[in-house]
Amino acid sequence: MPTMRNDPDEARSISGTRVFDAPRELVFDAWTDAKHISNWWGPRGFTTTTQEMDVRPGGKWIFVMHGPDGTDYDNEVLYLDVVRPERIAYTHGPSPIFDVTVTFEELGPNKTRMTMRSTFASAEIRNQVAEDFGAVEGLRDTLDRLAEELGKHGAFVISRAFAAPRDVVFRVWTECEHLSHWWGPKGVAVFSCKNDLRPGGVMHYGMRTPDGQEIWGRWVYREIAAPARLVFINSFSDPEGGLTRHPGAAEWPLQLLTTIAFDEQDGGTLVTVRWSPYDASDLERATFDAGHDSMRGGWGGTFDQLTEYLAKK
């Protein structure tokens, strides 16, 4: 709920904090992807048309908010600081101009505390915006709509405990010389693997099924916190590393946001995998939701192979 903060800028600020049942990467993406933000930005009854969105220091987000009475409101955001997936700072105009800071705090693999703070030039301007435009209630509405938007991105979560130290499990998960021995469903062999383990880097791999079919995949890394967490965009690929559809299901999400958490547990490691459709259509989300049983079986077989491989280490 939007609140006032007890600090020197208290009288000039409007702020709100909300805990979302969603991974931090997904909440951050909701703020930085034009397709996402147009689905939730603004008080209830408003819609948003994005004309330009360049999320980087010095970049701009130019958009029009359409009020329920048909009035259009031009807006321009100038990004000052962008630290994925922790923080966004920007100046919002045209009038009144005010500064905004949004922070994203990870409370667990599937929970994020987000705080948004708007600071005006004076307490008088802050109070005028609150009274004339209902800014406090509008912020509450906006965060409610964000929670609803995040709720559309249903996630698949599966965990398995392994009798091996966390650093070993992390290494086995991130080095091709190990991945080639266990990665993928049972009966599928990895015959090609290249891994650039850094934010922005890509792992590109090829697998061969028992009947000789070749299937390619890729991970585009977003966050690497060794040995605790990996975050990447997962997709099917081709021999050249391009982005392709599921070879047997055209309606499957083109991309998945993947978070893998490695937690120490009783001398071993608890691995938790979370999959969420990324930038997906309603049909893709429905296909994903309907495939949870199949995913559970596929991941179960992969975990079995990892268990067997770790036993040999």
Side-chain angles (χ1 to χ4, degrees):
M1 178 178 294
T3 58
M4 293 297 298
R5 292 180 177 271
N6 184 22
D7 60 33
D9 292 328
E10 175 181 349
R12 299 191 294 123
S13 300
I14 295 172
S15 63
T17 296
R18 184 70 61 88
V19 175
F20 299 104
D21 292 323
R24 182 166 64 163
E25 279 278 342
L26 184 59
V27 181
F28 190 90
D29 283 342
W31 275 87
T32 55
D33 187 310
K35 294 180 181 177
H36 283 305
I37 204 166
S38 294
N39 291 333
W40 62 268
W41 182 260
R44 294 195 186 279
F46 282 74
T47 58
T48 299
T49 299
T50 294
Q51 299 173 333
E52 175 185 336
M53 194 174 203
D54 183 10
V55 188
R56 61 180 176 83
K60 292 182 178 181
W61 175 30
I62 300 174
F63 61 100
V64 180
M65 295 181 66
H66 312 286
D69 62 356
T71 303
D72 289 340
Y73 303 89
D74 293 327
N75 291 261
E76 181 172 310
V77 160
L78 173 65
Y79 293 105
L80 306 175
D81 188 28
V82 179
V83 181
R84 167 176 286 276
E86 300 173 2
R87 183 174 182 271
I88 302 171
Y90 59 84
T91 296
H92 190 148
S95 180
I97 295 175
F98 55 96
D99 294 328
V100 180
T101 300
V102 187
T103 58
F104 306 84
E105 180 185 357
E106 186 174 65
L107 301 181
N110 308 316
K111 196 173 290 290
T112 303
R113 179 188 290 121
M114 189 216 80
T115 299
M116 179 181 182
R117 175 173 178 155
S118 301
T119 303
F120 299 83
S122 68
E124 291 74 19
I125 295 175
R126 181 266 177 210
N127 292 337
Q128 181 181 7
V129 170
E131 293 169 8
D132 294 351
F133 297 100
V136 175
E137 295 79 7
L139 176 55
R140 184 184 299 116
D141 269 5
T142 299
L143 298 186
D144 286 346
R145 294 182 66 194
L146 174 55
E148 293 161 8
E149 173 66 13
L150 292 168
K152 297 176 184 177
H153 299 263
F156 168 81
V157 181
I158 189 169
S159 298
R160 177 76 67 89
F162 298 94
R166 182 167 67 161
D167 61 334
V168 172
V169 178
F170 187 89
R171 187 169 66 251
V172 165
W173 206 291
T174 54
E175 296 179 3
C176 283
E177 62 181 283
H178 298 296
L179 280 162
S180 60
H181 292 283
W182 67 270
W183 175 251
K186 285 187 175 180
V188 174
V190 175
F191 67 87
S192 177
C193 180
K194 296 180 180 179
N195 194 18
D196 183 8
L197 188 65
R198 61 180 177 84
V202 176
M203 184 174 91
H204 182 230
Y205 59 93
M207 301 184 295
R208 185 173 290 113
T209 64
D211 62 2
Q213 180 185 8
E214 291 186 0
I215 300 173
W216 293 84
R218 73 177 194 184
W219 303 351
V220 181
Y221 292 107
R222 291 196 160 190
E223 183 181 352
I224 299 169
R229 185 172 61 257
L230 294 171
V231 181
F232 54 86
I233 298 295
N234 177 47
S235 65
F236 285 92
S237 187
D238 56 29
E240 290 73 40
L243 182 65
T244 65
R245 286 282 179 187
H246 190 303
E251 294 80 20
W252 185 257
L254 186 62
Q255 300 179 93
L256 295 172
L257 175 63
T258 305
T259 301
I260 305 175
F262 304 83
D263 294 308
E264 295 178 334
Q265 179 177 281
D266 300 328
T269 305
L270 178 68
V271 174
T272 300
V273 176
R274 181 184 176 100
W275 261 358
S276 300
Y278 178 79
D279 194 17
S281 67
D282 290 341
L283 178 58
E284 288 174 330
R285 292 192 189 102
T287 303
F288 180 83
D289 291 342
H292 280 205
D293 286 344
S294 176
M295 287 183 275
R296 194 168 290 107
W299 273 108
T302 299
F303 283 161
D304 289 345
Q305 295 186 149
L306 176 55
T307 298
E308 294 168 5
Y309 181 69
L310 287 169
K312 302 174 184 176
K313 301 304 295 175

